Amino acid sequence: MAFPFDINQIFLERVTLLDQTLVAGNRKSTERPDLLEHIVTVIDELGRASAKAQQLTTPITSASKLQSQKHQLYLLKDVESHRGHGMVVGFLKVGYKKLFLLDRQGVHIEAEPMCVLDFYIAENFQRHGYGSELFDFMLQHNNLEPVLMAYDRPSPKFLSFLAKKYWLTQSVPQVNNFVVFEGFFLNKTVAQLRKVPLKKPDGEIKPYAVMEREVVNQEQRALPWPFPLPHSPQRSVSSQSSNSLSVGSSPSRVPLQVTSASAVAGNRDSPQSPLTERCRARRTSIHHDHDPS
Ligand SMILES: CC(=O)SCCNC(=O)CCNC(=O)[C@H](O)C(C)(C)COP(=O)(O)OP(=O)(O)OC[C@H]1O[C@@H](n2cnc3c(N)ncnc32)[C@H](O)[C@@H]1OP(=O)(O)O
């Protein structure tokens, strides 16, 4: 992804970590006021490209969102390209989220794992190992293992990536849009797990985490009159999934089938797994008029 300014001047390292401050490295934005403007442009552009690749109506990553949330955004650049000005290859956004999850026995567990929230490698750089480079950098930086993380509605490509690179194939069925894999519940310290009492006093019932992707969905549903909502069957899938966020509705949900390794192991020609199909359905449910290519 090329920009009309010198990427190598803005992002000094191959991988730059950005947070709420939007400061790249330890440079002060007061020294170079144009830097902040360029960083905002890059993040917004990446967020839009990621949303388009995932067929989301609204980007879940933008500079203003990053400023208001305690997330970490890892940005990868290619130093040499664009006549030495560098290009942005992609980004990975992670952050801690308080989630209510179901363990293998179906017991509600409260956890606050590190979650993958958004991940995008520019189309012309995909399948060249850049995604793995960025992901490995983030894991090392946070001293984490992929199995201890939760994944916010992973796309089929990302599921294939996780299966291929980290052997994450067996998911534990959930009633929200996060995916966790076998082994997540074994490490109680890192995942900060806590069993949730079956019955809570009135007023203490907490909803499942409201995800950014779900908020995007809500935004779309809240179109002002006179814009009508499209009447597609996929949209009703979307409403069901948003209902599943409440504790009250969760017990009646049918648990998902456990995913088999072969189903998500990255064979593009094989039939998709139930998990992949579910993720695809949810993403498709917020499909818009963007061309997915
Ligand atoms: C929680 C979330 O963020 S979900 C959103 C994830 N992002 C997207 O779906 C956006 C579009 N996709 C992408 O940006 C990229 O494909 C990523 C980020 C998923 C992976 O980045 P890449 O640089 O392609 O990964 P990398 O080259 O290290 O690994 C390649 C592996 O990823 C998977 N993968 C990448 N692209 C594809 C694809 N088009 N179809 C199927 N699997 C794919 C495969 O397992 C592939 O291995 P293979 O080529 O041997 O089959």
Side-chain angles (χ1 to χ4, degrees):
M1 194 177 272
F3 289 89
F5 39 80
D6 194 333
I7 287 297
N8 289 327
Q9 288 276 312
I10 299 164
F11 305 110
L12 302 181
E13 308 295 330
R14 185 171 167 81
V15 177
T16 297
L17 174 58
L18 291 162
D19 62 11
Q20 276 179 309
T21 61
L22 300 191
V23 173
N26 50 14
R27 293 198 281 181
K28 294 195 183 82
S29 51
T30 45
E31 289 168 13
R32 289 274 310 271
D34 57 315
L35 281 185
L36 183 62
E37 199 183 314
H38 291 336
I39 290 170
V40 167
T41 303
V42 169
I43 297 173
D44 287 350
E45 191 58 41
L46 281 170
R48 275 193 292 272
S50 179
K52 188 176 179 194
Q54 298 174 60
Q55 300 170 32
L56 304 172
T57 41
T58 315
I60 47 178
T61 298
S62 67
S64 62
K65 284 186 163 122
L66 193 61
Q67 279 179 306
S68 64
Q69 292 158 334
K70 283 189 179 168
H71 296 156
Q72 302 174 348
L73 189 149
Y74 294 86
L75 185 144
L76 177 66
K77 71 168 184 178
D78 179 54
V79 183
E80 313 291 338
S81 48
H82 204 222
R83 298 182 306 280
H85 294 305
M87 278 171 105
V88 176
V89 172
F91 76 99
L92 170 63
K93 189 173 79 172
V94 296
Y96 287 99
K97 289 246 174 211
K98 193 167 273 192
L99 302 176
F100 283 83
L101 298 168
L102 296 175
D103 69 8
R104 175 54 70 208
Q105 283 72 42
V107 175
H108 281 104
I109 302 281
E110 189 179 341
E112 196 165 1
M114 180 69 99
C115 302
V116 176
L117 305 168
D118 204 0
F119 190 18
Y120 172 72
I121 297 293
E123 275 69 15
N124 49 330
F125 286 105
Q126 285 178 20
R127 290 195 134 155
H128 287 83
Y130 290 107
S132 316
E133 181 183 349
L134 200 48
F135 206 85
D136 286 341
F137 186 99
M138 177 278 299
L139 291 174
Q140 209 175 352
H141 187 252
N142 289 291
N143 194 22
L144 266 176
E145 288 172 43
V147 72
L148 300 175
M149 302 184 72
Y151 300 89
D152 184 2
R153 212 182 299 182
S155 65
K157 283 186 186 180
F158 190 30
L159 287 172
S160 161
F161 172 90
L162 291 171
K164 177 93 186 250
K165 306 284 176 180
Y166 304 104
W167 308 286
L168 294 178
T169 54
Q170 300 289 324
S171 66
V172 182
Q174 300 299 321
V175 291
N176 57 29
N177 296 320
F178 281 82
V179 170
V180 292
F181 292 90
E182 287 281 3
F184 176 90
F185 296 98
L186 298 178
N187 191 322
K188 300 211 177 343
T189 48
V190 180
Q192 296 167 315
L193 307 177
R194 190 163 73 83
K195 279 190 185 176
V196 180
L198 273 178
K199 204 167 156 89
K200 284 180 159 239
D202 284 352
E204 270 192 41
I205 296 174
K206 292 181 189 171
Y208 288 101
V210 176
M211 285 76 62
E212 285 165 71
R213 283 156 205 257
E214 202 58 42
V215 171
V216 166
N217 208 356
Q218 304 260 349
E219 278 169 8
Q220 194 200 18
R221 238 177 283 141
L223 285 174
W225 187 90
F227 301 108
L229 287 171
H231 296 291
S232 71
Q234 289 162 340
R235 185 157 298 275
S236 65
V237 173
S238 145
S239 351
Q240 284 165 14
S241 64
S242 82
N243 288 344
S244 75
L245 294 173
S246 76
V247 168
S249 65
S250 60
S252 63
R253 298 271 301 178
V254 180
L256 292 165
Q257 298 298 309
V258 176
T259 326
S260 75
S262 59
V264 288
N267 180 351
R268 274 163 279 157
D269 301 319
S270 67
Q272 296 294 339
S273 70
L275 174 64
T276 311
E277 285 302 326
R278 172 177 170 250
C279 293
R280 190 203 297 283
R282 289 210 166 126
R283 283 170 180 276
T284 316
S285 73
I286 43 180
H287 179 78
H288 62 124
D289 48 5
H290 272 155
D291 180 356
S293 61

